[in-house]
mmCIF file of all heavy atoms in Angstrom:
data_model
loop_
_atom_site.group_PDB
_atom_site.id
_atom_site.type_symbol
_atom_site.label_atom_id
_atom_site.label_comp_id
_atom_site.label_asym_id
_atom_site.label_seq_id
_atom_site.Cartn_x
_atom_site.Cartn_y
_atom_site.Cartn_z
ATOM 1 N N ALA A 1357 -10.205 -18.192 -6.111
ATOM 2 C CA ALA A 1357 -8.756 -18.408 -6.090
ATOM 3 C C ALA A 1357 -8.053 -17.555 -5.048
ATOM 4 O O ALA A 1357 -7.023 -16.943 -5.328
ATOM 5 C CB ALA A 1357 -8.187 -18.127 -7.489
ATOM 6 N N GLY A 1358 -8.601 -17.525 -3.841
ATOM 7 C CA GLY A 1358 -8.037 -16.665 -2.799
ATOM 8 C C GLY A 1358 -6.584 -16.937 -2.492
ATOM 9 O O GLY A 1358 -5.782 -16.009 -2.323
ATOM 10 N N GLU A 1359 -6.216 -18.217 -2.430
ATOM 11 C CA GLU A 1359 -4.825 -18.562 -2.101
ATOM 12 C C GLU A 1359 -3.876 -18.072 -3.193
ATOM 13 O O GLU A 1359 -2.810 -17.525 -2.913
ATOM 14 C CB GLU A 1359 -4.701 -20.074 -1.921
ATOM 15 C CG GLU A 1359 -3.350 -20.502 -1.370
ATOM 16 C CD GLU A 1359 -3.332 -21.959 -0.934
ATOM 17 O OE1 GLU A 1359 -4.284 -22.706 -1.266
ATOM 18 O OE2 GLU A 1359 -2.362 -22.356 -0.264
ATOM 19 N N LEU A 1360 -4.281 -18.250 -4.435
ATOM 20 C CA LEU A 1360 -3.476 -17.807 -5.570
ATOM 21 C C LEU A 1360 -3.359 -16.284 -5.591
ATOM 22 O O LEU A 1360 -2.272 -15.730 -5.808
ATOM 23 C CB LEU A 1360 -4.105 -18.306 -6.876
ATOM 24 C CG LEU A 1360 -3.469 -17.831 -8.188
ATOM 25 C CD1 LEU A 1360 -2.025 -18.291 -8.283
ATOM 26 C CD2 LEU A 1360 -4.276 -18.343 -9.378
ATOM 27 N N ILE A 1361 -4.453 -15.594 -5.363
ATOM 28 C CA ILE A 1361 -4.450 -14.125 -5.362
ATOM 29 C C ILE A 1361 -3.564 -13.584 -4.250
ATOM 30 O O ILE A 1361 -2.782 -12.645 -4.449
ATOM 31 C CB ILE A 1361 -5.888 -13.584 -5.219
ATOM 32 C CG1 ILE A 1361 -6.711 -13.905 -6.467
ATOM 33 C CG2 ILE A 1361 -5.885 -12.078 -4.962
ATOM 34 C CD1 ILE A 1361 -6.200 -13.255 -7.748
ATOM 35 N N ASN A 1362 -3.654 -14.170 -3.068
ATOM 36 C CA ASN A 1362 -2.809 -13.721 -1.957
ATOM 37 C C ASN A 1362 -1.331 -13.934 -2.250
ATOM 38 O O ASN A 1362 -0.492 -13.089 -1.932
ATOM 39 C CB ASN A 1362 -3.194 -14.448 -0.668
ATOM 40 C CG ASN A 1362 -4.344 -13.776 0.051
ATOM 41 O OD1 ASN A 1362 -4.850 -12.748 -0.385
ATOM 42 N ND2 ASN A 1362 -4.783 -14.360 1.149
ATOM 43 N N ALA A 1363 -1.012 -15.073 -2.862
ATOM 44 C CA ALA A 1363 0.387 -15.358 -3.202
ATOM 45 C C ALA A 1363 0.909 -14.336 -4.212
ATOM 46 O O ALA A 1363 2.040 -13.839 -4.085
ATOM 47 C CB ALA A 1363 0.505 -16.780 -3.761
ATOM 48 N N LEU A 1364 0.070 -14.003 -5.218
ATOM 49 C CA LEU A 1364 0.471 -13.000 -6.206
ATOM 50 C C LEU A 1364 0.632 -11.624 -5.564
ATOM 51 O O LEU A 1364 1.603 -10.903 -5.844
ATOM 52 C CB LEU A 1364 -0.581 -12.914 -7.317
ATOM 53 C CG LEU A 1364 -0.496 -13.905 -8.473
ATOM 54 C CD1 LEU A 1364 -1.668 -13.697 -9.416
ATOM 55 C CD2 LEU A 1364 0.828 -13.767 -9.218
ATOM 56 N N ALA A 1365 -0.309 -11.261 -4.710
ATOM 57 C CA ALA A 1365 -0.248 -9.953 -4.057
ATOM 58 C C ALA A 1365 0.999 -9.831 -3.191
ATOM 59 O O ALA A 1365 1.637 -8.770 -3.144
ATOM 60 C CB ALA A 1365 -1.503 -9.729 -3.212
ATOM 61 N N ASN A 1366 1.373 -10.907 -2.526
ATOM 62 C CA ASN A 1366 2.604 -10.897 -1.722
ATOM 63 C C ASN A 1366 3.841 -10.808 -2.612
ATOM 64 O O ASN A 1366 4.793 -10.086 -2.304
ATOM 65 C CB ASN A 1366 2.676 -12.156 -0.852
ATOM 66 C CG ASN A 1366 1.688 -12.130 0.295
ATOM 67 O OD1 ASN A 1366 1.320 -11.059 0.779
ATOM 68 N ND2 ASN A 1366 1.240 -13.292 0.740
ATOM 69 N N GLU A 1367 3.823 -11.547 -3.711
ATOM 70 C CA GLU A 1367 4.971 -11.547 -4.621
ATOM 71 C C GLU A 1367 5.196 -10.170 -5.236
ATOM 72 O O GLU A 1367 6.341 -9.709 -5.348
ATOM 73 C CB GLU A 1367 4.743 -12.581 -5.734
ATOM 74 C CG GLU A 1367 5.885 -12.642 -6.748
ATOM 75 C CD GLU A 1367 5.622 -13.625 -7.878
ATOM 76 O OE1 GLU A 1367 4.613 -14.377 -7.792
ATOM 77 O OE2 GLU A 1367 6.416 -13.646 -8.846
ATOM 78 N N TYR A 1368 4.127 -9.498 -5.631
ATOM 79 C CA TYR A 1368 4.251 -8.211 -6.313
ATOM 80 C C TYR A 1368 4.034 -7.017 -5.383
ATOM 81 O O TYR A 1368 4.010 -5.874 -5.843
ATOM 82 C CB TYR A 1368 3.266 -8.151 -7.484
ATOM 83 C CG TYR A 1368 3.656 -9.060 -8.625
ATOM 84 C CD1 TYR A 1368 3.147 -10.355 -8.701
ATOM 85 C CD2 TYR A 1368 4.564 -8.645 -9.601
ATOM 86 C CE1 TYR A 1368 3.519 -11.215 -9.735
ATOM 87 C CE2 TYR A 1368 4.938 -9.489 -10.636
ATOM 88 C CZ TYR A 1368 4.424 -10.777 -10.695
ATOM 89 O OH TYR A 1368 4.788 -11.614 -11.715
ATOM 90 N N GLN A 1369 3.893 -7.304 -4.084
ATOM 91 C CA GLN A 1369 3.729 -6.246 -3.081
ATOM 92 C C GLN A 1369 2.592 -5.293 -3.458
ATOM 93 O O GLN A 1369 2.736 -4.072 -3.474
ATOM 94 C CB GLN A 1369 5.039 -5.473 -2.912
ATOM 95 C CG GLN A 1369 6.194 -6.313 -2.369
ATOM 96 C CD GLN A 1369 5.937 -6.801 -0.955
ATOM 97 O OE1 GLN A 1369 5.842 -6.010 -0.040
ATOM 98 N NE2 GLN A 1369 5.814 -8.119 -0.786
ATOM 99 N N THR A 1370 1.449 -5.903 -3.782
ATOM 100 C CA THR A 1370 0.278 -5.148 -4.234
ATOM 101 C C THR A 1370 -0.788 -5.110 -3.143
ATOM 102 O O THR A 1370 -1.243 -6.165 -2.688
ATOM 103 C CB THR A 1370 -0.319 -5.798 -5.498
ATOM 104 O OG1 THR A 1370 0.678 -5.851 -6.512
ATOM 105 C CG2 THR A 1370 -1.509 -5.009 -6.000
ATOM 106 N N PRO A 1371 -1.217 -3.938 -2.703
ATOM 107 C CA PRO A 1371 -2.275 -3.872 -1.691
ATOM 108 C C PRO A 1371 -3.636 -4.210 -2.276
ATOM 109 O O PRO A 1371 -3.963 -3.815 -3.392
ATOM 110 C CB PRO A 1371 -2.227 -2.416 -1.224
ATOM 111 C CG PRO A 1371 -1.634 -1.664 -2.380
ATOM 112 C CD PRO A 1371 -0.695 -2.609 -3.062
ATOM 113 N N ILE A 1372 -4.429 -4.968 -1.506
ATOM 114 C CA ILE A 1372 -5.799 -5.275 -1.872
ATOM 115 C C ILE A 1372 -6.711 -4.636 -0.831
ATOM 116 O O ILE A 1372 -6.685 -5.015 0.342
ATOM 117 C CB ILE A 1372 -6.053 -6.792 -1.948
ATOM 118 C CG1 ILE A 1372 -5.171 -7.420 -3.037
ATOM 119 C CG2 ILE A 1372 -7.530 -7.075 -2.229
ATOM 120 C CD1 ILE A 1372 -5.305 -8.931 -3.153
ATOM 121 N N LEU A 1373 -7.487 -3.641 -1.248
ATOM 122 C CA LEU A 1373 -8.355 -2.896 -0.343
ATOM 123 C C LEU A 1373 -9.802 -3.322 -0.575
ATOM 124 O O LEU A 1373 -10.314 -3.196 -1.692
ATOM 125 C CB LEU A 1373 -8.215 -1.392 -0.585
ATOM 126 C CG LEU A 1373 -6.775 -0.851 -0.493
ATOM 127 C CD1 LEU A 1373 -6.743 0.628 -0.849
ATOM 128 C CD2 LEU A 1373 -6.203 -1.074 0.900
ATOM 129 N N PRO A 1374 -10.479 -3.862 0.444
ATOM 130 C CA PRO A 1374 -11.846 -4.367 0.260
ATOM 131 C C PRO A 1374 -12.862 -3.253 0.060
ATOM 132 O O PRO A 1374 -12.814 -2.224 0.726
ATOM 133 C CB PRO A 1374 -12.112 -5.134 1.559
ATOM 134 C CG PRO A 1374 -11.216 -4.501 2.568
ATOM 135 C CD PRO A 1374 -9.988 -4.054 1.812
ATOM 136 N N VAL A 1375 -13.792 -3.484 -0.856
ATOM 137 C CA VAL A 1375 -14.850 -2.511 -1.135
ATOM 138 C C VAL A 1375 -16.203 -2.999 -0.624
ATOM 139 O O VAL A 1375 -17.060 -2.187 -0.276
ATOM 140 C CB VAL A 1375 -14.912 -2.189 -2.642
ATOM 141 C CG1 VAL A 1375 -16.161 -1.397 -2.998
ATOM 142 C CG2 VAL A 1375 -13.662 -1.423 -3.058
ATOM 143 N N ASP A 1376 -16.416 -4.315 -0.564
ATOM 144 C CA ASP A 1376 -17.653 -4.816 0.048
ATOM 145 C C ASP A 1376 -17.854 -4.111 1.379
ATOM 146 O O ASP A 1376 -16.905 -3.974 2.161
ATOM 147 C CB ASP A 1376 -17.544 -6.327 0.293
ATOM 148 C CG ASP A 1376 -18.169 -7.139 -0.820
ATOM 149 O OD1 ASP A 1376 -18.812 -6.547 -1.694
ATOM 150 O OD2 ASP A 1376 -17.999 -8.365 -0.822
ATOM 151 N N SER A 1377 -19.072 -3.691 1.671
ATOM 152 C CA SER A 1377 -19.308 -2.916 2.895
ATOM 153 C C SER A 1377 -18.893 -3.689 4.143
ATOM 154 O O SER A 1377 -18.347 -3.118 5.084
ATOM 155 C CB SER A 1377 -20.779 -2.509 2.986
ATOM 156 O OG SER A 1377 -21.617 -3.642 3.074
ATOM 157 N N GLU A 1378 -19.125 -5.012 4.142
ATOM 158 C CA GLU A 1378 -18.781 -5.822 5.307
ATOM 159 C C GLU A 1378 -17.268 -5.916 5.489
ATOM 160 O O GLU A 1378 -16.746 -5.748 6.601
ATOM 161 C CB GLU A 1378 -19.379 -7.228 5.182
ATOM 162 C CG GLU A 1378 -20.898 -7.254 5.211
ATOM 163 C CD GLU A 1378 -21.534 -6.961 3.855
ATOM 164 O OE1 GLU A 1378 -20.783 -6.687 2.886
ATOM 165 O OE2 GLU A 1378 -22.772 -6.996 3.753
ATOM 166 N N HIS A 1379 -16.553 -6.179 4.421
ATOM 167 C CA HIS A 1379 -15.103 -6.331 4.542
ATOM 168 C C HIS A 1379 -14.411 -4.989 4.748
ATOM 169 O O HIS A 1379 -13.390 -4.910 5.431
ATOM 170 C CB HIS A 1379 -14.556 -7.050 3.310
ATOM 171 C CG HIS A 1379 -15.121 -8.428 3.147
ATOM 172 N ND1 HIS A 1379 -16.091 -8.719 2.235
ATOM 173 C CD2 HIS A 1379 -14.877 -9.578 3.825
ATOM 174 C CE1 HIS A 1379 -16.406 -10.002 2.333
ATOM 175 N NE2 HIS A 1379 -15.695 -10.540 3.291
ATOM 176 N N SER A 1380 -14.970 -3.939 4.161
ATOM 177 C CA SER A 1380 -14.451 -2.598 4.432
ATOM 178 C C SER A 1380 -14.630 -2.276 5.910
ATOM 179 O O SER A 1380 -13.749 -1.684 6.546
ATOM 180 C CB SER A 1380 -15.177 -1.557 3.577
ATOM 181 O OG SER A 1380 -14.737 -0.252 3.881
ATOM 182 N N ALA A 1381 -15.764 -2.680 6.479
ATOM 183 C CA ALA A 1381 -16.015 -2.444 7.904
ATOM 184 C C ALA A 1381 -14.980 -3.160 8.759
ATOM 185 O O ALA A 1381 -14.426 -2.585 9.710
ATOM 186 C CB ALA A 1381 -17.423 -2.913 8.269
ATOM 187 N N ILE A 1382 -14.701 -4.427 8.439
ATOM 188 C CA ILE A 1382 -13.688 -5.181 9.178
ATOM 189 C C ILE A 1382 -12.332 -4.509 9.048
ATOM 190 O O ILE A 1382 -11.606 -4.325 10.032
ATOM 191 C CB ILE A 1382 -13.609 -6.631 8.657
ATOM 192 C CG1 ILE A 1382 -14.931 -7.366 8.853
ATOM 193 C CG2 ILE A 1382 -12.455 -7.384 9.316
ATOM 194 C CD1 ILE A 1382 -15.377 -7.509 10.277
ATOM 195 N N PHE A 1383 -11.992 -4.118 7.835
ATOM 196 C CA PHE A 1383 -10.708 -3.471 7.548
ATOM 197 C C PHE A 1383 -10.543 -2.205 8.380
ATOM 198 O O PHE A 1383 -9.472 -1.925 8.916
ATOM 199 C CB PHE A 1383 -10.646 -3.156 6.050
ATOM 200 C CG PHE A 1383 -9.338 -2.585 5.582
ATOM 201 C CD1 PHE A 1383 -8.171 -3.313 5.669
ATOM 202 C CD2 PHE A 1383 -9.276 -1.309 5.034
ATOM 203 C CE1 PHE A 1383 -6.966 -2.796 5.229
ATOM 204 C CE2 PHE A 1383 -8.082 -0.776 4.590
ATOM 205 C CZ PHE A 1383 -6.922 -1.523 4.687
ATOM 206 N N GLN A 1384 -11.628 -1.445 8.520
ATOM 207 C CA GLN A 1384 -11.567 -0.201 9.290
ATOM 208 C C GLN A 1384 -11.498 -0.447 10.797
ATOM 209 O O GLN A 1384 -11.013 0.409 11.542
ATOM 210 C CB GLN A 1384 -12.791 0.663 8.965
ATOM 211 C CG GLN A 1384 -12.812 1.184 7.528
ATOM 212 C CD GLN A 1384 -14.059 1.975 7.218
ATOM 213 O OE1 GLN A 1384 -14.332 2.991 7.852
ATOM 214 N NE2 GLN A 1384 -14.834 1.522 6.236
ATOM 215 N N CYS A 1385 -11.961 -1.600 11.249
ATOM 216 C CA CYS A 1385 -11.968 -1.904 12.687
ATOM 217 C C CYS A 1385 -10.676 -2.554 13.176
ATOM 218 O O CYS A 1385 -10.419 -2.591 14.384
ATOM 219 C CB CYS A 1385 -13.134 -2.832 13.023
ATOM 220 S SG CYS A 1385 -14.767 -2.050 12.953
ATOM 221 N N LEU A 1386 -9.884 -3.100 12.276
ATOM 222 C CA LEU A 1386 -8.665 -3.809 12.681
ATOM 223 C C LEU A 1386 -7.687 -2.883 13.389
ATOM 224 O O LEU A 1386 -7.597 -1.701 13.091
ATOM 225 C CB LEU A 1386 -7.989 -4.449 11.471
ATOM 226 C CG LEU A 1386 -8.729 -5.605 10.789
ATOM 227 C CD1 LEU A 1386 -7.977 -6.050 9.554
ATOM 228 C CD2 LEU A 1386 -8.899 -6.772 11.749
ATOM 229 N N GLU A 1387 -6.940 -3.467 14.319
ATOM 230 C CA GLU A 1387 -5.871 -2.759 15.018
ATOM 231 C C GLU A 1387 -4.569 -3.503 14.741
ATOM 232 O O GLU A 1387 -4.452 -4.702 15.031
ATOM 233 C CB GLU A 1387 -6.146 -2.705 16.525
ATOM 234 C CG GLU A 1387 -7.397 -1.929 16.872
ATOM 235 C CD GLU A 1387 -7.749 -1.995 18.344
ATOM 236 O OE1 GLU A 1387 -7.026 -2.705 19.091
ATOM 237 O OE2 GLU A 1387 -8.723 -1.334 18.750
ATOM 238 N N MET A 1388 -3.611 -2.807 14.171
ATOM 239 C CA MET A 1388 -2.373 -3.447 13.729
ATOM 240 C C MET A 1388 -1.644 -4.169 14.867
ATOM 241 O O MET A 1388 -1.048 -5.217 14.680
ATOM 242 C CB MET A 1388 -1.441 -2.404 13.105
ATOM 243 C CG MET A 1388 -1.971 -1.782 11.833
ATOM 244 S SD MET A 1388 -2.227 -2.996 10.503
ATOM 245 C CE MET A 1388 -0.531 -3.468 10.178
ATOM 246 N N GLN A 1389 -1.720 -3.604 16.075
ATOM 247 C CA GLN A 1389 -0.925 -4.141 17.176
ATOM 248 C C GLN A 1389 -1.662 -5.199 17.992
ATOM 249 O O GLN A 1389 -1.068 -5.813 18.874
ATOM 250 C CB GLN A 1389 -0.466 -2.999 18.098
ATOM 251 C CG GLN A 1389 -1.579 -2.351 18.926
ATOM 252 C CD GLN A 1389 -2.324 -1.258 18.163
ATOM 253 O OE1 GLN A 1389 -2.318 -1.247 16.937
ATOM 254 N NE2 GLN A 1389 -2.938 -0.339 18.889
ATOM 255 N N ASN A 1390 -2.927 -5.432 17.716
ATOM 256 C CA ASN A 1390 -3.703 -6.374 18.520
ATOM 257 C C ASN A 1390 -4.326 -7.461 17.658
ATOM 258 O O ASN A 1390 -4.901 -7.182 16.609
ATOM 259 C CB ASN A 1390 -4.813 -5.640 19.278
ATOM 260 C CG ASN A 1390 -4.269 -4.736 20.363
ATOM 261 O OD1 ASN A 1390 -3.424 -5.159 21.150
ATOM 262 N ND2 ASN A 1390 -4.718 -3.488 20.397
ATOM 263 N N SER A 1391 -4.220 -8.709 18.136
ATOM 264 C CA SER A 1391 -4.772 -9.843 17.406
ATOM 265 C C SER A 1391 -6.273 -9.948 17.656
ATOM 266 O O SER A 1391 -6.733 -9.758 18.777
ATOM 267 C CB SER A 1391 -4.095 -11.137 17.851
ATOM 268 O OG SER A 1391 -2.709 -11.100 17.573
ATOM 269 N N LEU A 1392 -7.006 -10.284 16.603
ATOM 270 C CA LEU A 1392 -8.445 -10.457 16.779
ATOM 271 C C LEU A 1392 -8.772 -11.898 17.132
ATOM 272 O O LEU A 1392 -7.994 -12.818 16.870
ATOM 273 C CB LEU A 1392 -9.199 -10.013 15.530
ATOM 274 C CG LEU A 1392 -8.878 -10.684 14.183
ATOM 275 C CD1 LEU A 1392 -9.581 -12.010 14.027
ATOM 276 C CD2 LEU A 1392 -9.261 -9.762 13.043
ATOM 277 N N GLU A 1393 -9.906 -12.088 17.752
ATOM 278 C CA GLU A 1393 -10.382 -13.426 18.090
ATOM 279 C C GLU A 1393 -11.300 -13.953 17.006
ATOM 280 O O GLU A 1393 -11.231 -15.110 16.619
ATOM 281 C CB GLU A 1393 -11.105 -13.397 19.434
ATOM 282 C CG GLU A 1393 -11.501 -14.774 19.946
ATOM 283 C CD GLU A 1393 -11.870 -14.744 21.421
ATOM 284 O OE1 GLU A 1393 -10.982 -14.460 22.245
ATOM 285 O OE2 GLU A 1393 -13.048 -14.995 21.727
ATOM 286 N N LYS A 1394 -12.175 -13.085 16.519
ATOM 287 C CA LYS A 1394 -13.051 -13.468 15.420
ATOM 288 C C LYS A 1394 -13.617 -12.212 14.780
ATOM 289 O O LYS A 1394 -13.494 -11.102 15.325
ATOM 290 C CB LYS A 1394 -14.203 -14.348 15.907
ATOM 291 C CG LYS A 1394 -15.205 -13.655 16.824
ATOM 292 C CD LYS A 1394 -16.339 -14.600 17.215
ATOM 293 C CE LYS A 1394 -17.339 -13.917 18.145
ATOM 294 N NZ LYS A 1394 -18.444 -14.812 18.539
ATOM 295 N N ILE A 1395 -14.228 -12.390 13.608
ATOM 296 C CA ILE A 1395 -14.958 -11.291 12.979
ATOM 297 C C ILE A 1395 -16.422 -11.693 12.891
ATOM 298 O O ILE A 1395 -16.759 -12.887 12.875
ATOM 299 C CB ILE A 1395 -14.411 -10.930 11.585
ATOM 300 C CG1 ILE A 1395 -14.634 -12.075 10.588
ATOM 301 C CG2 ILE A 1395 -12.949 -10.538 11.654
ATOM 302 C CD1 ILE A 1395 -14.335 -11.696 9.152
#
């Protein structure tokens, strides 16, 4: 239910921090000011 979870998180202003090693890695590599092409 990713779409539903994202909508709820936006509505309640709740941060979702990834714990999976792969998604945590992506999260740590992101740059707020630059758009990514792919992961």
Side-chain angles (χ1 to χ4, degrees):
E1359 189 168 12
L1360 175 61
I1361 292 297
N1362 275 358
L1364 275 177
N1366 288 332
E1367 179 183 352
Y1368 289 93
Q1369 296 295 295
T1370 302
I1372 298 178
L1373 305 176
V1375 169
D1376 264 352
S1377 63
E1378 294 83 357
H1379 299 103
S1380 177
I1382 298 299
F1383 185 63
Q1384 293 177 60
C1385 288
L1386 293 176
E1387 297 174 357
M1388 295 299 293
Q1389 70 275 23
N1390 291 312
S1391 298
L1392 58 81
E1393 186 165 295
K1394 67 178 179 180
I1395 66 170

